Amino acid sequence: MKAAAVQMRAALGDVEANLKSAENLANQAFSAGAEIVILPEFFPTAMAFHPKMLQAARPLDGEPMELLKGLAKQNNGVAGGSFNAIRQGEVYNTFVLAFPDGSIFLHDKDQPTMWENCYYIGGTDDGVLDTPLGPVGVSLCWEFVRSRTAKRLRNKVRLIVGGSCWWDLPKVALPGFSPAVGARLLEIMRQSPPKMARMVGAPVIHAAHAGDFKGKMPLMPGFPYESNLLGQAMITDAQGKILAKMDREEGYIMADIDLDEYAEPSEEIPQTFWIPDLPLQIRAVWAYQNRHGRRYYRTKTKKALGL
């Protein structure tokens, strides 16, 4: 089937504007012949630590869900993407895969990344969706760099869909963060979708965000986190060969993928939490921001949303 991955330059926290942009880009891809179009993680909002994100979540059956269902029905295709979704008194980063008959399939990202903890909690499903296309796996951003993601999908899915909103280091250098750390992050980002394809044995459709953003730094109120998102939308085959990719532009990429092609996983899954060797500085920020974010979510985000 002909697959497309969208890359957006979203306006932080501006749900209305981003939904219009996502709809326009997805329709362009469908008009060009795509049968399945995947939007990025957090396609209605992007992601940063910023007050705009406090009320950016939407009900699961709200506008982002309706957009995906409408795209699928109007184009007789499949549409997917993730957003901060409210249900049962909590917020999850929920990926929705919508089909033209109105059916939907869901995956909640297993663990928020760093300041994402401020705005949602992790889910518990295995990320294997029983769809009309057969079993489809979902991987969102740093799920691509965790060994447990590959383990839960390996030899179980015909396709992996998902996306990222992966930020770079701030333009104002943090102490101890050399340019080499930023270069390593970009290298990991570029390697992760092909690696997942090889470890699982399935094609990957990976959508992404690019562009600049202005946020803040948790527990550092005077520090401006002005940076950019890494982009790297990508489509690979089941052997990890890159069929189409985009660096940091806005638009979409498209490629033919074969869901009937069986590929024996060609790369072993490491017996470690992380697939790549993350820089020590990134692991340290991961640890402190996770702890800070969980408290922020309970005391600020849920209050702002009236949950």
Side-chain angles (χ1 to χ4, degrees):
M1 67 188 307
K2 195 170 290 293
V6 167
Q7 188 153 287
M8 294 178 62
R9 290 178 176 267
L12 183 65
D14 190 340
V15 175
E16 183 178 355
N18 293 329
L19 290 180
K20 289 180 181 178
S21 177
E23 182 177 24
N24 180 48
L25 290 165
N27 277 325
Q28 287 180 39
F30 278 121
S31 295
E35 298 165 87
I36 179 170
V37 175
I38 303 300
L39 294 165
E41 180 188 39
F42 308 122
F43 71 88
T45 57
M47 173 57 70
F49 182 63
H50 194 281
K52 288 182 178 180
M53 294 301 300
L54 280 168
Q55 295 181 301
R58 292 294 184 268
L60 177 62
D61 59 356
E63 308 102 295
M65 169 83 83
E66 288 304 310
L67 173 62
L68 293 169
K69 291 172 69 174
L71 286 168
K73 182 176 181 180
Q74 293 157 19
N75 294 285
N76 193 32
V78 183
S82 92
F83 59 97
N84 280 4
I86 304 167
R87 70 178 188 276
Q88 298 178 339
E90 301 288 355
V91 183
Y92 300 88
N93 178 4
T94 301
F95 181 91
V96 177
L97 195 63
F99 284 76
D101 64 358
S103 59
I104 57 168
F105 302 85
L106 310 178
H107 165 63
D108 297 323
K109 187 175 178 180
D110 64 357
Q111 185 173 0
T113 300
M114 298 179 182
W115 57 49
E116 293 176 11
N117 284 272
C118 296
Y119 308 112
Y120 69 93
I121 62 173
T124 58
D125 65 88
D126 66 1
V128 178
L129 312 183
D130 184 14
T131 81
L133 295 176
V136 174
V138 184
S139 183
L140 294 172
C141 205
W142 276 32
E143 285 186 319
F144 274 102
V145 296
R146 288 195 277 275
S147 297
R148 67 188 183 206
T149 308
K151 289 175 182 176
R152 63 178 166 80
L153 302 182
R154 188 177 176 96
N155 285 324
K156 295 178 182 176
V157 299
R158 302 176 71 194
L159 171 67
I160 301 169
V161 296
S164 294
C165 187
W166 194 321
W167 53 87
D168 203 346
L169 298 182
K171 295 175 182 177
V172 176
L174 286 165
F177 284 74
S178 70
V181 176
R184 176 61 178 148
L185 279 179
L186 179 58
E187 180 185 14
I188 291 170
M189 173 76 267
R190 287 173 170 164
Q191 292 175 349
S192 293
K195 271 186 170 289
M196 188 61 67
R198 293 192 295 269
M199 289 180 179
V200 172
V204 171
I205 309 172
H206 172 260
H209 283 280
D212 297 334
F213 70 93
K214 294 182 179 181
K216 300 177 184 295
M217 188 71 167
L219 302 181
M220 296 176 64
F223 187 89
Y225 203 109
E226 297 186 17
S227 186
N228 58 81
L229 298 164
L230 295 180
Q232 312 308 311
M234 197 178 301
I235 301 173
T236 81
D237 67 12
Q239 290 81 28
K241 178 184 177 182
I242 297 173
L243 304 176
K245 67 173 294 187
M246 182 175 282
D247 189 21
R248 303 196 188 196
E249 311 94 314
E250 182 172 73
Y252 66 89
I253 54 173
M254 194 152 54
D256 291 317
I257 55 174
D258 186 354
L259 299 187
D260 293 323
E261 177 190 12
Y262 174 76
E264 186 72 29
S266 59
E267 188 166 332
E268 290 303 312
I269 303 171
Q271 299 304 309
T272 53
F273 184 77
W274 301 110
I275 292 172
D277 182 17
L278 287 178
L280 179 62
Q281 299 94 322
I282 299 302
R283 295 176 190 236
V285 173
W286 160 272
Y288 104 77
Q289 288 193 3
N290 284 359
R291 288 195 295 271
H292 164 267
R294 287 190 286 267
R295 184 175 185 278
Y296 188 100
Y297 171 78
R298 294 192 305 269
T299 60
K300 294 188 179 295
T301 297
K302 294 190 72 172
K303 182 178 180 181
L305 293 169
L307 301 178

